[in-house]
Amino acid sequence: MTKIAIGWKDLSLTMLDIDKKPSQTRVVVAMSGGVDSSVAAGLLVEAGYEVIGMTMQLYDYGQMADKRKGACCAGQDIYDARLAADKLNIPHYVLDYESRFRTSVIDNFVDSYVQGYTPIPCVRCNQTVKFTDLLRAAKELGADALATGHYVQRKRGKHQVELHRAVDLDKDQSFFLFATTQEQLNYVHFPLGHLYKTQTREQARRFGLKIADKPDSQDICFVPQGNYAAVVEKLRPGSLEPGLIRHVDGRILGDHKGTIGYTVGQRRGLGIGGGEVLYVVRIDPTQHEVIVGPKEELACTQIFLKEVNWLGEGGVSDQTIDLMIKIRSSQNPVPASLTLSSRQRAVIALKNPEYGVAPGQACVFYQGSWVLGGGWIEETDTIRRSYPCDSL
């Protein structure tokens, strides 16, 4: 890849891997109204690309979320994106994907909680709206590429384009992009993958962007104050059905107001007294029961995945591969082996037990910095395990 200097403290921008001159290359930038996507647009403008900013209106801001600080897609964001586009002197469009977002992300999120899963809506948003609908819109505009402000790196491998972790591991977002397909990766670019967040903010100041110090998004955009149960109850009335909290040995320890208020691995806020330290081991939405037990009952050595997306080279069906995995975005990768079938299903065997692995979450595969793909956690050996309470 070629690099060009951008004339600021020897910082450089990796040029897009496109066989055209920047001046002849049209790039659509997904502008969320935050500092990252705005700087991505600014760097591409400065590098000489023809840049078009696009912002997605995803939901009714007044109904679904408040205007608190630290929220993604709060009511101010579209306005901030437009101001940034004006400052950079690029065209800016707002696309109404409210219906699509409701169906693909919000409904999936709500239904998953009702079924006892712990979903990650940001992955579904990337998987559907951003890298499907927005990508399609970019192509309809004749764009040669779609760029985002994600902290990941896109590299040219020996045989294909590869997705890699960002240089700034504290901001690395590769975990949330595991579902990106090879076809999408061939088209999508990530101008910030080689930067640290502090450098991004300094770039924003250099460009004169008012959002240079805007707080990072911290919450799920459509969940006010992080209150998942309230959103689920609002969209699925009656889902907060009360039930029992039961020990794995069969004892009834208390009751709850709804299983959607609990997740596997949870320790605090169980609403039961006593001196024993207990964790949520399993959620049974059919019987409306929350099963709790000591920490050792959470020790997971096998994870069963569905909807697996493989980004490594070649086919690996029915082969066992040693690699590293992450089951939480903030954790360091841990050693495991992967056996992948041809039906987008896989089994992960962990070298060392992990605790609190929740169905509905993601499991992402790594080889060094290279993201080999990932899948959705359907079950674990702890969930499949039989307990005395199951016979009651």
Side-chain angles (χ1 to χ4, degrees):
M1 290 187 181
T2 310
K3 289 190 176 182
I4 59 171
I6 60 175
W8 181 81
K9 294 185 179 181
D10 297 323
L11 195 62
S12 62
L13 166 68
T14 301
M15 294 181 67
L16 303 188
D17 185 17
I18 298 175
D19 190 23
K20 293 173 68 175
K21 294 180 180 179
S23 60
Q24 300 173 346
T25 303
R26 176 176 293 176
V27 183
V28 165
V29 178
M31 299 183 69
S32 66
V35 62
D36 298 328
S37 57
S38 298
V39 168
L43 292 175
L44 291 171
V45 168
E46 190 168 59
Y49 292 94
E50 178 192 351
V51 177
I52 298 174
M54 277 192 181
T55 301
M56 300 175 291
Q57 179 172 330
L58 299 180
Y59 56 91
D60 187 324
Y61 301 108
Q63 289 186 6
M64 295 300 299
D66 56 13
K67 297 183 179 181
R68 68 202 182 284
K69 292 183 178 180
C72 169
C73 305
Q76 183 72 23
D77 287 349
I78 293 177
Y79 179 71
D80 287 344
R82 178 154 290 161
L83 285 182
D86 289 345
K87 184 67 177 180
L88 298 171
N89 195 28
I90 61 173
H92 177 253
Y93 301 98
V94 178
L95 304 181
D96 184 359
Y97 287 152
E98 195 171 318
S99 176
R100 171 70 160 153
F101 186 75
R102 172 68 181 257
T103 301
S104 301
V105 181
I106 298 179
D107 285 350
N108 176 272
F109 171 87
V110 171
D111 292 340
S112 293
Y113 258 107
V114 171
Q115 294 166 15
Y117 293 98
T118 306
I120 311 177
C122 296
V123 176
R124 289 292 185 191
C125 184
N126 289 328
Q127 184 180 18
T128 56
V129 181
K130 288 182 181 177
F131 288 168
T132 300
D133 299 320
L134 186 60
L135 188 148
R136 185 184 303 114
K139 288 185 174 181
E140 289 174 354
L141 279 178
D144 299 285
L146 171 68
T148 78
H150 288 103
Y151 284 88
V152 291
Q153 297 186 83
R154 178 189 187 275
K155 296 183 179 182
R156 175 69 63 176
K158 291 182 179 180
H159 305 291
Q160 64 188 40
V161 175
E162 299 173 355
L163 183 66
H164 285 254
R165 300 181 74 186
V167 168
D168 188 347
L169 294 181
D170 289 335
K171 291 296 180 180
D172 172 59
Q173 293 172 296
S174 61
F175 183 86
F176 300 99
L177 296 178
F178 80 84
T180 306
T181 66
Q182 190 64 53
E183 182 181 2
Q184 292 166 345
L185 191 57
N186 292 337
Y187 188 75
V188 182
H189 294 255
F190 310 100
L192 304 187
H194 66 300
L195 299 182
Y196 286 85
K197 185 60 180 253
T198 53
Q199 293 175 314
T200 298
R201 291 197 182 278
E202 290 184 42
Q203 287 292 297
R205 297 185 189 98
R206 185 172 68 87
F207 288 134
L209 300 177
K210 292 184 178 181
I211 44 77
D213 296 311
K214 186 175 181 178
D216 291 340
S217 301
Q218 297 173 352
D219 298 324
I220 296 173
C221 59
F222 57 89
V223 181
Q225 306 297 336
N227 191 343
Y228 308 119
V231 172
V232 175
E233 173 66 10
K234 179 177 181 179
L235 298 179
R236 297 292 185 274
S239 58
L240 281 173
E241 187 167 344
L244 299 175
I245 300 176
R246 192 186 294 272
H247 196 281
V248 292
D249 64 12
R251 288 178 291 145
I252 296 175
L253 302 180
D255 50 32
H256 61 79
K257 296 181 180 179
T259 58
I260 61 176
Y262 300 83
T263 185
V264 171
Q266 179 178 336
R267 173 187 171 186
R268 300 183 184 279
L270 299 183
I272 52 178
E276 186 180 7
V277 178
L278 297 173
Y279 299 79
V280 175
V281 173
R282 191 172 66 199
I283 296 171
D284 187 344
T286 303
Q287 299 298 322
H288 308 293
E289 290 193 350
V290 176
I291 310 301
V292 300
K295 184 177 181 179
E296 55 264 28
E297 299 294 350
L298 289 172
C300 171
T301 57
Q302 277 192 314
I303 304 174
F304 303 91
L305 305 178
K306 63 178 181 178
E307 297 180 50
V308 173
N309 180 50
W310 178 252
L311 291 173
E313 293 182 349
V316 294
S317 295
D318 300 321
Q319 297 182 33
T320 298
I321 302 172
D322 290 329
L323 37 63
M324 307 291 282
I325 68 159
K326 291 176 67 172
I327 54 173
R328 299 176 186 86
S329 62
S330 59
Q331 79 170 146
N332 292 322
V334 297
S337 64
L338 163 74
T339 304
L340 179 66
S341 75
S342 60
R343 301 182 304 278
Q344 290 186 301
R345 291 184 174 274
V347 178
I348 292 290
L350 292 154
K351 301 298 183 184
N352 301 296
E354 287 288 321
Y355 294 82
V357 182
Q361 295 280 286
C363 177
V364 183
F365 321 141
Y366 294 89
Q367 185 178 86
S369 68
W370 186 9
V371 183
L372 297 180
W376 295 100
I377 299 172
E378 185 173 35
E379 279 189 311
T380 66
D381 55 349
T382 58
I383 300 296
R384 290 186 173 185
R385 189 177 301 157
S386 295
Y387 297 104
C389 62
D390 296 333
S391 62
L392 298 176

